[in-house]
Amino acid sequence: MTTDIQLPIYMDYQATTPLDPRVLETMMPFLTTRFGNPHSSSHKFGWETADAIERARGEVAALVGAGPKEVIFTSGATESNNLAIKGLARFYRKHRSHMVTVATEHKCVLESFAAMEREGMSVTYLPVKPDGLVDLGALRAAIGDQTLLVSVMAVNNEIGVIQPLAEIGALCRERRVFFHTDAAQAAGKIALDVNEMNIDLMSISGHKVYGPKGIGALYSRAASRLKFDPIISGGGQEGGLRSGTLSPALCAGLGAACAVAADEMEAEGKRLERQFDRFVGGVLDGVPGAVLNGHRDRRIPGNISLSFPGLDGALLLAQLRELAVSSGAACASAVAGPSYVLQALGVEERLAQATIRFGIGRFTTDAEIDYAVDTVIRKVTQLRKAA
Ligand SMILES: *Cc1c(COP(=O)(O)O)cnc(C)c1O
């Protein structure tokens, strides 16, 4: 076996990605000598950090085909999702009282909608098909005269499926409903174009694209003239939508991460496709009965959810200590019980419990893939023998 492998092997790229060294390099000056407040407009300390932030804004925008003025910096995708959903609902609720989302969304989306229900909005939670994709017919039927917003994630964080964004966008445009997408797992992984896909609002997270934690962005289509009630009030930064001093280091880091992703996304995607085939092919060959969750093709290659019938997931996870994997979403790890995402696909509870999410990404090597395949096959075989 290869000796240059560091254990445990990082396979939790959906929970977070390591910081790309090129991103860190871009951030360093703003953590040291360039410390000015970017909102100080009367001297060079402020100008140089303000310039860095505007440059970063352009880099974030360019990744998704937006204009720089359409990007609002936030603390992460959680805040972006909160601002999009709550901000819009609170501003428009006198005119439109209904919103639509999907059962398999990230908790921060579902909880934002639940909070708006408590404030009097009505919300439709669409089911998904067994492959994890939204049923467009059901979406069409859910949109009514009172519908303000449709929110559908771009890529699912547990099973990696890609929702049909262009079709959803076209439908929302036709019905004159705003379309928000949580693109935390998609930005920098698949080509996204807010204009081609008719997206009005898009949430991005820094630490899911090899950037720093604690920064994200919300794209808001200028031509749609969206209005929000801000969640954070204060000095009026970010057009009054998100007050508070911006962090030049974090913004520059997100910008650099988006620029690297824009350059390398295609080649990286091809390499990950190859590693996906190598990993999934290897495990499915070596573990009869194992199941890949989610649509076979409409997916990103880096997110691999596998169920192992007949096994106890917690026991398997404990046996896989050489692999830094998880049983599902990191944010739900504290909550016992089967994943609500897998249950929405119709995966039965016992099988949902016997599921591991394997994440591969920018720094995954072929040697690590081979080691991981061997480890999974060996441990599953041992557990099956013991059972
Ligand atoms: C990670 C993640 C979030 C939360 O992003 P933060 O930047 O950590 O707040 C939201 N949605 C999805 C799909 C995610 O994967």
Side-chain angles (χ1 to χ4, degrees):
M1 185 104 291
T2 6
T3 50
D4 59 348
I5 289 178
Q6 294 240 11
L7 295 177
I9 297 169
Y10 189 70
M11 296 190 83
D12 206 7
Y13 278 84
Q14 282 65 49
T16 195
T17 52
L19 194 69
D20 189 297
R22 294 165 287 186
V23 173
L24 177 62
E25 201 179 314
T26 308
M27 293 172 66
M28 279 309 275
F30 305 105
L31 294 165
T32 50
T33 53
R34 301 190 165 205
F35 60 85
N37 184 322
H39 314 293
S40 296
S41 53
S42 56
H43 52 70
K44 179 169 177 283
F45 292 91
W47 302 333
E48 65 188 12
T49 48
D51 283 352
I53 284 172
E54 292 322 305
R55 180 196 164 99
R57 204 186 294 281
E59 289 170 327
V60 175
L63 180 63
V64 296
K69 290 200 175 74
E70 299 177 302
V71 171
I72 303 156
F73 284 113
T74 66
S75 63
T78 297
E79 187 188 333
S80 299
N81 288 336
N82 271 262
L83 178 57
I85 296 161
K86 295 179 180 173
L88 212 66
R90 286 175 182 154
F91 188 87
Y92 289 101
R93 67 179 146 203
K94 287 202 187 70
H95 311 288
R96 304 255 194 127
S97 61
H98 176 244
M99 304 192 283
V100 180
T101 189
V102 183
T104 52
E105 294 290 314
H106 191 272
K107 276 290 175 199
C108 65
V109 166
L110 295 175
E111 290 302 320
S112 294
F113 277 107
M116 292 303 93
E117 285 187 285
R118 292 193 290 275
E119 292 185 19
M121 297 289 287
S122 74
V123 178
T124 301
Y125 298 91
L126 293 173
V128 292
K129 298 181 285 184
D131 60 12
L133 298 179
V134 179
D135 183 332
L136 291 169
L139 173 59
R140 181 178 285 277
I143 298 174
D145 294 343
Q146 280 294 314
T147 308
L148 168 68
L149 174 73
V150 167
S151 180
V152 180
M153 74 200 317
V155 167
N156 185 271
N157 50 301
E158 275 190 48
I159 55 173
V161 297
I162 305 169
Q163 297 293 354
L165 298 181
E167 288 85 344
I168 297 168
L171 180 58
C172 290
R173 183 59 53 94
E174 177 197 319
R175 303 293 299 272
R176 296 174 180 276
V177 171
F178 296 129
F179 175 31
H180 166 251
T181 187
D182 173 358
Q185 297 286 347
K189 315 274 164 61
I190 57 170
L192 293 171
D193 188 300
V194 290
N195 295 313
E196 276 175 19
M197 296 172 160
N198 283 309
I199 294 165
D200 294 300
L201 292 154
M202 179 192 285
S203 302
I204 293 175
S205 170
H207 73 103
K208 306 288 175 73
V209 277
Y210 308 93
K213 294 171 184 60
I215 182 84
L218 179 65
Y219 157 78
S220 173
R221 172 178 298 281
S224 295
R225 298 178 194 282
L226 296 137
K227 298 280 198 298
F228 305 84
D229 268 12
I231 292 170
I232 300 174
S233 308
Q237 289 91 348
E238 299 299 89
L241 289 176
R242 206 278 187 167
S243 287
T245 305
L246 287 173
S247 161
L250 294 179
C251 293
L254 176 59
C258 289
V260 171
D263 278 353
E264 301 185 355
M265 183 162 49
E266 215 179 304
E268 187 167 287
K270 289 205 177 98
R271 181 178 61 73
L272 290 172
E273 293 282 355
R274 212 173 29 71
Q275 290 185 332
F276 171 92
D277 288 341
R278 192 170 175 133
F279 182 78
V280 175
V283 171
L284 294 186
D285 275 352
V287 181
V291 195
L292 175 70
N293 294 302
H295 196 285
R296 180 65 185 76
D297 308 311
R298 302 197 56 146
R299 61 162 54 251
I300 57 158
N303 188 326
I304 303 163
S305 168
L306 290 170
S307 295
F308 300 93
L311 284 191
D312 177 332
L315 223 57
L316 178 57
L317 196 61
Q319 287 294 312
L320 291 178
R321 240 167 301 176
E322 288 184 331
L323 312 180
V325 292
S326 75
S327 56
C331 39
S333 292
V335 188
S339 135
Y340 67 91
V341 171
L342 293 174
Q343 288 192 299
L345 269 65
V347 178
E348 65 163 289
E349 199 170 318
R350 276 181 62 98
L351 193 56
Q353 297 270 29
T355 301
I356 306 278
R357 182 183 66 183
F358 300 88
I360 57 176
R362 183 168 295 166
F363 305 108
T364 306
T365 64
D366 287 353
E368 288 177 330
I369 293 281
D370 293 343
Y371 191 95
V373 169
D374 282 349
T375 306
V376 172
I377 294 173
R378 193 159 34 86
K379 295 297 182 183
V380 171
T381 309
Q382 276 172 16
L383 285 173
R384 280 187 173 169
K385 278 204 186 110

